[in-house]
Amino acid sequence: MSKVGGSGKGFSYSDRQRPKNLPPIRSNRFQKSGNKEVYETKDMENAFVMRVDMPGCSASSFVYRVEEDKNVYFSAHEPDMPEYGHDGRKYEGTLVCNPAVFEAKEAKAELVDGVMWLTVPKIPREEESEHYVLQRMLKLKITSDMFRS
């Protein structure tokens, strides 16, 4: 059984390595309201918003950047606390954006009280042309003459 991460003072398993006889990992039992997921995404009208819990991380450790005009990379780390035998957690991820839909270069991110908020604006689209095509399709009359040979 291989041990992953940590300071050597306890066991930490990846999902594949986790023994079947251990009880399931539960959500934070101390959280009393709100979304219990560690991250959530919302597709808004003008932007895509991502919220990620990064408990213990300070704004000074938070870094984000746009790579290749479509990938938004972010990372932060929690400080080590040797007096508690705690190595500190490290968080990182990449949000891959479709360049035809999103302006990744204009992405904004901030870490507030251990929660990262990432906003990627959408490219404005011409709604009139799409609406016109849809309206024309809906006005099409189908008659029985169309199906006769």
Side-chain angles (χ1 to χ4, degrees):
M1 177 176 341
S2 101
K3 192 167 73 164
V4 178
S7 63
K9 297 177 181 121
F11 288 98
S12 176
Y13 301 99
S14 72
D15 287 340
R16 286 187 313 217
Q17 296 171 325
R18 187 172 171 76
K20 301 282 186 227
N21 60 344
L22 289 180
I25 298 172
R26 298 177 190 255
S27 60
N28 186 346
R29 66 183 180 154
F30 303 107
Q31 180 180 344
K32 298 302 177 194
S33 66
N35 188 337
K36 295 193 187 273
E37 301 297 323
V38 294
Y39 78 94
E40 63 182 308
T41 61
K42 290 193 181 191
D43 192 6
M44 311 290 277
E45 185 176 333
N46 297 322
F48 179 83
V49 178
M50 183 176 195
R51 176 193 185 280
V52 179
D53 290 340
M54 297 179 169
C57 295
S58 66
S60 63
S61 75
F62 179 64
V63 175
Y64 81 98
R65 67 181 174 273
V66 177
E67 300 171 340
E68 301 173 18
D69 294 335
K70 66 177 183 175
N71 301 329
V72 182
Y73 168 82
F74 56 90
S75 71
H77 66 275
E78 177 184 31
D80 295 344
M81 299 186 76
E83 63 271 23
Y84 297 111
H86 180 66
D87 285 345
R89 297 179 230 172
K90 295 175 182 26
Y91 301 88
E92 64 180 37
T94 302
L95 178 65
V96 180
C97 302
N98 180 347
V101 179
F102 299 100
E103 302 230 23
K105 287 188 241 180
E106 304 298 321
K108 301 287 183 221
E110 63 180 333
L111 187 67
V112 179
D113 295 332
V115 177
M116 181 197 71
W117 293 94
L118 172 63
T119 304
V120 183
K122 290 183 178 178
I123 297 172
R125 296 187 295 170
E126 282 188 35
E127 297 295 329
E128 293 177 13
S129 62
E130 290 180 33
H131 180 68
Y132 177 75
V133 171
L134 182 62
Q135 190 177 30
R136 296 279 294 174
M137 288 173 58
L138 293 175
K139 287 187 175 181
L140 175 68
K141 282 188 177 181
I142 299 176
T143 64
S144 60
D145 294 336
M146 295 174 92
F147 297 103
R148 292 186 190 161
S149 311

